[in-house]
Amino acid sequence: MQYRFIESPVGSLLLAGKLHAGKTDVLHFVGFPEGKGKFFPEDHWREVDGSFTQAEDQLNEYFEGRRQVFELKLQPSGTPFQLQVLTALQEIPFGETRSYLEIARSIGRPKAVRAVGAANGRNPLPIVIPCHRVIGTNGSLTGFGGGLAAKAYLLGLERGGFSLTPPRI
């Protein structure tokens, strides 16, 4: 596994995955600098400067308000249920939100609200797979791997709130 760090308005993000010479890189992880999603490279991983440039470019475009959909080769890990939830998250349009209950219903498991929350919290590719777009049924911001300030920032960015101050990380 190869990795590198990139700077963003929500702090230094870790990008990790597999590099393929002459082919598209495959992104496996995006890690936050703070919160439950704080993620560190494993000892056997190799830092490669200049890697994951397509992911970096698309994330920069997203943060600049010029990208709504990511077009990257992804390889998230998880159980079949978790991967089903991650697929459902990718169906949430830019600038919109869904509740955990709505996600559970969309995958045909209306009683699995807590399991959906757990799968959402284990998303290995936050921002790119938009787990920040999932909120409580009452409209409240609930947990987020990068912290609630980062979640509020991302949602504000998507709703046209480009003047929002990035969270202090």
Side-chain angles (χ1 to χ4, degrees):
M1 188 83 59
Q2 294 85 28
Y3 73 95
R4 74 178 279 221
F5 290 94
I6 64 166
E7 292 307 314
S8 82
V10 293
S12 183
L13 298 176
L14 169 71
L15 305 180
K18 300 284 183 178
L19 303 176
H20 300 282
K23 296 183 181 178
T24 304
D25 298 341
V26 180
L27 194 61
H28 290 238
F29 299 101
V30 174
F32 286 102
E34 298 293 328
K36 293 184 302 183
K38 192 172 189 173
F39 193 76
F40 297 101
E42 296 182 20
D43 290 339
H44 63 279
W45 292 9
R46 185 171 51 94
E47 187 168 12
V48 180
D49 291 334
S51 59
F52 303 107
T53 56
Q54 186 179 27
E56 179 182 26
D57 291 346
Q58 290 188 28
L59 283 161
N60 286 336
E61 291 168 358
Y62 169 81
F63 285 118
E64 293 166 0
R66 298 184 296 118
R67 176 171 291 277
Q68 295 184 2
V69 176
F70 291 95
E71 298 168 358
L72 300 168
K73 186 153 173 85
L74 307 176
Q75 190 169 344
S77 58
T79 66
F81 177 80
Q82 290 167 341
L83 294 174
Q84 187 179 23
V85 170
L86 295 179
T87 298
L89 297 178
Q90 293 177 78
E91 300 299 319
I92 304 171
F94 180 89
E96 295 184 20
T97 58
R98 298 289 184 271
S99 70
Y100 294 98
L101 177 59
E102 289 172 308
I103 297 297
R105 287 179 177 156
S106 77
I107 64 170
R109 305 276 303 269
K111 294 183 180 182
V113 176
R114 286 183 180 216
V116 165
N120 194 62
R122 290 188 186 101
N123 177 7
L125 291 157
I127 304 173
V128 177
I129 297 179
C131 55
H132 60 278
R133 295 179 188 156
V134 183
I135 59 174
T137 303
N138 64 0
S140 65
L141 296 186
T142 55
F144 182 62
L148 290 182
K151 183 172 188 163
Y153 176 78
L154 295 171
L155 291 173
L157 174 76
E158 291 189 11
R159 291 182 177 146
F162 300 111
S163 63
L164 288 175
T165 304
R168 301 185 109 200
I169 305 287

